[in-house]
């Protein structure tokens, strides 16, 4: 199978590229390297079944050209910054909503109809149903990021209904593991390297979150590539347990051998749009035969160790 | 109160403008007249409290200028063509999703934070819950129109959470009444005027739909302008009963004194994305003190009579 991955040089994208190559697929990696990292594709670029297309997901002709002969698209390229959405509201619209439309139009032009799309658990907003199933009550968006992702989901389902696409949506919890480049473990590591004596924690530290290791995430994407029913299906991806931010602080400081003073900014959420309790019901994905293998504590610790072995990423993403 | 209405020269917009003026508000009508009708604003333009701003909802500077001194915005401008979305997929993205973003950004620039937005019952897709409440299960979009409206809703709620907006969303069933310019009554009237001996009916005629008279729709918008809670609320707008397309065919042919042969195209829906059963639960809106006064049969008959007294509209919207 020949697969195109948008955001191929990103955290999840590059892990997916490696997994697709390892199982024998041909892969076109599509990335504009605005946040993607050249180093994440070093292994892939040595592989004969990999080709790199440098381009922007808003460039429909470039996308269409890259789609020649492709059987399926993983559309992972996105602005993944939830927290600072209000500082640049156009970014989520362009890089997520309009970009997803552009990918779909390029696919239509190229005659490619199989798409798998990285959405987010953030689309549930502050849902009253936890653990949250895919058919939770009609959500209210609390972030521009969530709004842009639910817009992307709507486009995929409309293309499935109107143009015969086979579309699969994944609603991720936060993903951890090798090549992780943003999120709370990243922020805590950077802060502690700058000042090991204190750590600022956004909110009261009691926010409850579920996390998934990128290996488990990629395994689910591959299961769904073959197993997700058409024309349209949605799958939550997350672990079957959660932790508090304070738990994660404990694991991180333990890995680093530090005992910083903890300064809480206070309140039950870290920022506007931060959801104090994210816990998704992933039974639908498990019913396809998938099961995550990394527990949250192991994923947090592994992520911290990967960052410490790759401190260049703290500079690259500063 | 000074109110700006986008799509002011449209069907619902012009009825709303007249109602706002009648109750003593100042109104800025904003329209690009791409589908709006000059004649619909003839009465308003004679009113001293009305001003017209000719502009496009994608023109952020023009919108921002028109918003000077405005207290609240009804954002009704939209591509309202559900049926032919797949013939021009970019239209829903631009005229609905991006236009709504542009209105919100213009409001932010102008310091206006109260917005009321016309969404659609189509955002529920083919929901399993009928009558459908606002917190029905997370929907799957079946049309580009629905996808663009759910994207607009997400933007409003994100602006409410992130920028302190007070946002109200209305999910309309199809609206009928004076100044009606598209939909099944319009199509049937046009077909019967061209050939009174036969009538093509899309689908099997058994599609069940709820309709609302534009007077009842506008009454709800005015109730919600004052009564809808902030920061974000969603209201279904529809009647408490429904009809079959065949019922409507009977009322229309009865009004016209015709007995055409009925030619059904067949199938349980009229087109891709047509929902064979639309019936919204409007209890939340009723709890604010609103109740519709026109039953569906009366609304269909009144619409047909208005079209026959204004056949110019069949040409204008051909």
């Amino acid at each position: 199978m020949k697969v195109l991955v948008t955001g191929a040089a990103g955290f999840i994208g590059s892990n997916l590229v490696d997994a697709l190559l390892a199982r024998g697929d041909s892969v076109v990696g599509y990335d504009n390297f605005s946040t993607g990292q050249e180093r994440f594709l070093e292994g892939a670029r040595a592989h004969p079944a990999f080709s790199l297309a440098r381009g922007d997901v808003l460039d429909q002709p470039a996308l269409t050209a890259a789609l020649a002969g492709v059987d399926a698209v993983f559309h992972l390229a996105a602005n993944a910054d939830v927290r600072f959405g209000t500082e640049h509201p156009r970014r989520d619209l362009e890089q997520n909503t309009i970009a997803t439309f552009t990918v779909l139009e390029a696919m239509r032009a190229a005659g490619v109809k199989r798409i798998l799309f990285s959405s987010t658990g953030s689309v549930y907003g502050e849902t009253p149903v936890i653990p949250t199933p895919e058919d939770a009550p009609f959500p209210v968006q609390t972030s521009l990021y969530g709004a842009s992702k639910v817009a992307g989901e709507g486009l995929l389902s409309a293309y499935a209904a109107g143009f015969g696409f086979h579309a699969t949506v994944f609603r991720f919890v936060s993903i951890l593991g090798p090549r992780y480049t943003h999120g709370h473990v990243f922020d805590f590591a950077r802060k502690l390297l700058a000042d090991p004596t204190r750590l600022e924690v956004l909110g009261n530290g009691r926010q409850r979150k579920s996390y998934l290791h990128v290996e488990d995430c990629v395994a689910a994407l591959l299961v769904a590539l073959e197993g997700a029913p058409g024309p349209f299906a949605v799958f939550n991806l997350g672990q079957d347990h959660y932790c508090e931010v304070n738990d994660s602080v404990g694991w991180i400081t333990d890995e680093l051998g530090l005992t910083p003073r903890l300064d809480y900014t206070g309140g039950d959420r870290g920022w506007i749009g931060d959801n104090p309790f994210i816990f998704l019901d992933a039974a639908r994905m498990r019913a396809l035969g998938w099961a995550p293998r990394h527990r949250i504590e192991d994923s947090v610790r592994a992520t911290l160790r990967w960052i410490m072995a790759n401190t260049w990423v703290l500079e690259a993403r500063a």
Side-chain angles (χ1 to χ4, degrees), chain A:
Chain A
M1 183 182 285
K2 186 174 177 184
V3 179
L4 182 139
V5 178
T6 73
F11 166 37
I12 301 168
S14 63
N15 278 285
L16 173 64
V17 166
D18 289 347
L20 287 163
L21 292 170
R23 65 171 216 165
D25 292 315
S26 294
V27 179
V28 179
Y30 193 92
D31 208 297
N32 68 355
F33 293 91
S34 66
T35 61
Q37 300 297 320
E38 299 276 358
R39 298 197 202 191
F40 291 172
L41 290 177
E42 276 173 5
R45 295 181 73 174
H47 198 292
F50 180 79
S51 64
L52 178 64
R54 289 179 190 269
D56 194 285
V57 280
L58 291 165
D59 184 346
Q60 191 174 319
L63 265 171
T64 306
L67 283 164
V70 163
D71 303 296
V73 172
F74 282 94
H75 175 39
L76 307 182
N79 173 44
D81 169 17
V82 190
R83 186 173 151 202
F84 294 104
T86 51
E87 295 185 7
H88 34 63
R90 191 170 298 273
R91 192 176 295 176
D92 283 311
L93 179 80
E94 290 182 348
Q95 296 185 11
N96 298 351
T97 306
I98 301 175
T100 299
F101 174 81
T102 309
V103 169
L104 290 164
E105 282 294 280
M107 289 175 65
R108 202 157 69 89
V112 182
K113 297 198 167 182
R114 179 80 179 103
I115 183 167
L116 304 98
F117 173 62
S118 55
S119 183
T120 168
S122 295
V123 297
Y124 295 113
E126 296 198 7
T127 179
V129 184
I130 298 175
T132 310
E134 290 86 351
D135 61 353
F138 204 125
V140 174
Q141 302 309 315
T142 55
S143 68
L144 289 154
Y145 176 72
S148 70
K149 285 293 189 180
V150 85
E153 291 190 12
L155 285 166
L156 259 76
S157 49
Y159 273 67
F163 295 119
F165 276 48
H166 178 182
T168 308
V169 164
F170 303 97
R171 297 186 184 138
F172 293 168
V173 296
S174 292
I175 309 297
L176 297 174
R179 301 181 186 158
Y180 172 89
T181 55
H182 78 281
H184 85 284
V185 182
F186 192 92
D187 293 340
F188 285 161
R190 182 148 59 188
K191 287 176 184 174
L192 286 168
L193 288 174
D195 181 355
T197 67
R198 63 174 290 272
L199 180 63
E200 182 192 64
V201 180
L202 299 177
N204 60 12
R206 305 297 305 272
Q207 303 99 304
R208 291 168 289 177
K209 310 270 182 172
S210 188
Y211 298 95
L212 189 69
H213 194 285
V214 69
E215 283 180 16
D216 292 326
C217 173
V218 165
L221 301 184
L222 296 180
V223 167
L225 176 59
E226 262 80 41
F232 180 76
V234 180
F235 295 94
N236 286 337
L237 291 188
Q239 255 293 7
D240 59 0
H241 55 287
Y242 56 86
C243 71
E244 287 193 359
V245 170
N246 281 331
D247 296 324
S248 192
V249 168
W251 301 326
I252 291 166
T253 53
D254 180 58
E255 284 290 330
L256 293 169
L258 297 175
T259 53
R261 189 185 78 226
L262 301 181
D263 294 336
Y264 294 94
T265 62
D268 65 354
R269 58 202 73 201
W271 62 88
I272 291 173
D274 184 27
N275 186 340
F277 191 11
I278 294 178
F279 184 34
L280 304 186
D281 178 346
R284 192 182 283 180
M285 189 69 225
R286 285 173 180 268
L288 290 188
W290 170 84
R293 297 185 307 166
H294 300 267
R295 291 185 58 82
I296 292 174
E297 177 175 349
D298 299 339
S299 299
V300 169
R301 290 181 182 273
T303 303
L304 192 279
R305 287 194 297 271
W306 181 83
I307 292 173
M308 297 309 294
N310 295 273
T311 50
W312 64 269
V313 83
L314 296 170
E315 308 298 325
R317 297 283 292 141

